[in-house]
Tab-separated table of all heavy atoms in Angstrom:
chain	number	residue	atom	x	y	z
A	1	ASP	N	-39.592	127.127	98.200
A	1	ASP	CA	-39.764	125.868	97.392
A	1	ASP	C	-38.527	125.842	96.475
A	1	ASP	O	-38.290	126.649	95.591
A	1	ASP	CB	-41.031	125.969	96.592
A	1	ASP	CG	-41.157	124.767	95.671
A	1	ASP	OD1	-40.455	123.842	95.829
A	1	ASP	OD2	-42.215	124.752	94.908
A	2	LEU	N	-37.698	124.802	96.573
A	2	LEU	CA	-36.552	124.589	95.747
A	2	LEU	C	-36.705	123.261	95.006
A	2	LEU	O	-35.641	122.587	94.681
A	2	LEU	CB	-35.275	124.689	96.486
A	2	LEU	CG	-34.955	126.077	97.161
A	2	LEU	CD1	-33.553	125.957	97.829
A	2	LEU	CD2	-34.934	127.078	96.124
A	3	THR	N	-37.855	122.701	94.885
A	3	THR	CA	-38.053	121.450	94.115
A	3	THR	C	-37.651	121.681	92.732
A	3	THR	O	-37.518	122.820	92.212
A	3	THR	CB	-39.542	121.041	94.214
A	3	THR	OG1	-40.304	122.050	93.730
A	3	THR	CG2	-39.931	120.711	95.556
A	4	PRO	N	-37.276	120.541	92.036
A	4	PRO	CA	-36.872	120.651	90.579
A	4	PRO	C	-37.819	121.433	89.756
A	4	PRO	O	-37.374	122.204	88.787
A	4	PRO	CB	-36.801	119.187	90.196
A	4	PRO	CG	-36.464	118.456	91.416
A	4	PRO	CD	-37.246	119.135	92.489
A	5	ALA	N	-39.112	121.442	89.978
A	5	ALA	CA	-39.951	122.295	89.144
A	5	ALA	C	-39.765	123.733	89.376
A	5	ALA	O	-39.904	124.512	88.419
A	5	ALA	CB	-41.445	121.852	89.443
A	6	ALA	N	-39.497	124.137	90.638
A	6	ALA	CA	-39.351	125.486	90.968
A	6	ALA	C	-37.982	126.029	90.775
A	6	ALA	O	-37.720	127.173	90.435
A	6	ALA	CB	-39.782	125.721	92.422
A	7	ALA	N	-36.880	125.085	90.893
A	7	ALA	CA	-35.516	125.475	90.781
A	7	ALA	C	-34.764	124.469	89.994
A	7	ALA	O	-34.038	123.592	90.504
A	7	ALA	CB	-34.902	125.722	92.130
A	8	PRO	N	-34.921	124.379	88.674
A	8	PRO	CA	-34.313	123.368	87.844
A	8	PRO	C	-32.868	123.468	87.706
A	8	PRO	O	-32.134	122.533	87.302
A	8	PRO	CB	-34.961	123.495	86.556
A	8	PRO	CG	-35.416	124.903	86.458
A	8	PRO	CD	-35.744	125.337	87.802
A	9	THR	N	-32.256	124.695	87.931
A	9	THR	CA	-30.819	124.962	87.817
A	9	THR	C	-30.228	125.474	89.077
A	9	THR	O	-30.923	126.012	89.882
A	9	THR	CB	-30.524	125.871	86.603
A	9	THR	OG1	-30.983	127.265	86.956
A	9	THR	CG2	-31.221	125.432	85.348
A	10	LEU	N	-28.939	125.330	89.227
A	10	LEU	CA	-28.263	125.899	90.402
A	10	LEU	C	-28.511	127.417	90.413
A	10	LEU	O	-28.647	128.036	91.433
A	10	LEU	CB	-26.841	125.568	90.397
A	10	LEU	CG	-25.960	126.086	91.635
A	10	LEU	CD1	-26.513	125.537	92.942
A	10	LEU	CD2	-24.487	125.785	91.455
A	11	ASP	N	-28.313	128.143	89.325
A	11	ASP	CA	-28.436	129.539	89.313
A	11	ASP	C	-29.805	130.026	89.744
A	11	ASP	O	-29.958	130.959	90.466
A	11	ASP	CB	-28.168	130.087	87.874
A	11	ASP	CG	-26.692	130.106	87.512
A	11	ASP	OD1	-25.861	129.933	88.423
A	11	ASP	OD2	-26.388	130.206	86.274
A	12	VAL	N	-30.909	129.311	89.271
A	12	VAL	CA	-32.272	129.577	89.737
A	12	VAL	C	-32.393	129.344	91.254
A	12	VAL	O	-32.974	130.183	91.935
A	12	VAL	CB	-33.308	128.722	88.975
A	12	VAL	CG1	-34.676	129.013	89.552
A	12	VAL	CG2	-33.261	129.258	87.547
A	13	LEU	N	-31.829	128.279	91.666
A	13	LEU	CA	-31.920	127.936	93.159
A	13	LEU	C	-31.286	129.058	93.938
A	13	LEU	O	-31.859	129.447	94.930
A	13	LEU	CB	-31.190	126.610	93.377
A	13	LEU	CG	-31.144	126.053	94.768
A	13	LEU	CD1	-31.138	124.486	94.789
A	13	LEU	CD2	-29.882	126.518	95.507
A	14	LEU	N	-30.096	129.486	93.558
A	14	LEU	CA	-29.429	130.592	94.257
A	14	LEU	C	-30.113	131.853	94.219
A	14	LEU	O	-30.211	132.660	95.149
A	14	LEU	CB	-28.026	130.755	93.755
A	14	LEU	CG	-27.045	129.501	94.044
A	14	LEU	CD1	-25.741	129.681	93.296
A	14	LEU	CD2	-26.846	129.214	95.506
A	15	ALA	N	-30.699	132.094	93.012
A	15	ALA	CA	-31.490	133.301	92.829
A	15	ALA	C	-32.737	133.403	93.763
A	15	ALA	O	-33.107	134.449	94.339
A	15	ALA	CB	-31.878	133.518	91.409
A	16	ARG	N	-33.379	132.250	93.889
A	16	ARG	CA	-34.575	132.191	94.752
A	16	ARG	C	-34.179	132.399	96.244
A	16	ARG	O	-34.900	133.049	96.975
A	16	ARG	CB	-35.286	130.796	94.561
A	16	ARG	CG	-36.058	130.783	93.258
A	16	ARG	CD	-36.661	129.406	93.054
A	16	ARG	NE	-37.801	129.226	93.995
A	16	ARG	CZ	-39.064	129.592	93.822
A	16	ARG	NH1	-39.283	130.388	92.793
A	16	ARG	NH2	-39.994	129.369	94.771
A	17	ILE	N	-33.078	131.889	96.618
A	17	ILE	CA	-32.567	132.137	98.006
A	17	ILE	C	-32.320	133.564	98.267
A	17	ILE	O	-32.644	134.223	99.236
A	17	ILE	CB	-31.362	131.201	98.299
A	17	ILE	CG1	-31.780	129.701	98.374
A	17	ILE	CG2	-30.698	131.657	99.600
A	17	ILE	CD1	-30.494	128.815	98.419
A	18	ALA	N	-31.550	134.156	97.272
A	18	ALA	CA	-31.143	135.656	97.326
A	18	ALA	C	-32.469	136.465	97.334
A	18	ALA	O	-32.580	137.403	98.213
A	18	ALA	CB	-30.311	135.945	96.152
A	19	GLU	N	-33.460	136.130	96.582
A	19	GLU	CA	-34.734	136.837	96.523
A	19	GLU	C	-35.445	136.830	97.890
A	19	GLU	O	-35.962	137.871	98.435
A	19	GLU	CB	-35.598	136.380	95.454
A	19	GLU	CG	-36.946	137.126	95.358
A	19	GLU	CD	-37.845	136.462	94.257
A	19	GLU	OE1	-37.587	135.340	93.780
A	19	GLU	OE2	-38.825	137.216	93.898
A	20	ARG	N	-35.468	135.590	98.512
A	20	ARG	CA	-36.121	135.443	99.761
A	20	ARG	C	-35.344	136.244	100.858
A	20	ARG	O	-36.004	136.853	101.768
A	20	ARG	CB	-36.218	133.875	100.149
A	20	ARG	CG	-36.755	133.608	101.528
A	20	ARG	CD	-38.187	134.125	101.750
A	20	ARG	NE	-39.147	133.546	100.875
A	20	ARG	CZ	-39.926	132.451	101.288
A	20	ARG	NH1	-39.754	131.853	102.441
A	20	ARG	NH2	-40.784	131.992	100.397
A	21	ALA	N	-34.020	136.179	100.801
A	21	ALA	CA	-33.252	136.857	101.806
A	21	ALA	C	-33.500	138.390	101.781
A	21	ALA	O	-33.592	139.019	102.875
A	21	ALA	CB	-31.758	136.563	101.590
A	22	THR	N	-33.627	138.883	100.590
A	22	THR	CA	-33.848	140.474	100.541
A	22	THR	C	-35.199	140.786	101.163
A	22	THR	O	-35.403	141.990	101.481
A	22	THR	CB	-33.824	140.900	99.052
A	22	THR	OG1	-34.851	140.231	98.302
A	22	THR	CG2	-32.476	140.612	98.369
A	23	ALA	N	-36.173	139.866	101.298
A	23	ALA	CA	-37.390	140.197	101.840
A	23	ALA	C	-37.399	140.037	103.359
A	23	ALA	O	-38.435	140.286	104.028
A	23	ALA	CB	-38.524	139.277	101.279
A	24	LEU	N	-36.311	139.566	103.986
A	24	LEU	CA	-36.167	139.317	105.304
A	24	LEU	C	-35.220	140.287	105.988
A	24	LEU	O	-34.210	140.669	105.343
A	24	LEU	CB	-35.795	137.892	105.590
A	24	LEU	CG	-36.831	136.825	105.107
A	24	LEU	CD1	-36.199	135.399	105.275
A	24	LEU	CD2	-38.099	136.852	105.975
A	25	PRO	N	-35.273	140.571	107.284
A	25	PRO	CA	-34.351	141.409	107.928
A	25	PRO	C	-32.960	140.664	108.043
A	25	PRO	O	-32.941	139.321	108.065
A	25	PRO	CB	-34.867	141.678	109.277
A	25	PRO	CG	-35.876	140.581	109.509
A	25	PRO	CD	-36.451	140.175	108.174
């Protein structure tokens, strides 16, 4: 989820992508 409520800033958006990536092979 990268909607404005979940990712209001670019840094948060990128951090959420990085976090999801670390949980995947």
Side-chain angles (χ1 to χ4, degrees):
D1 180 8
L2 295 182
T3 56
T9 69
L10 179 61
D11 285 345
V12 172
L13 180 148
L14 296 172
R16 288 179 65 82
I17 291 172
E19 180 183 17
R20 176 59 64 93
T22 60
L24 298 171

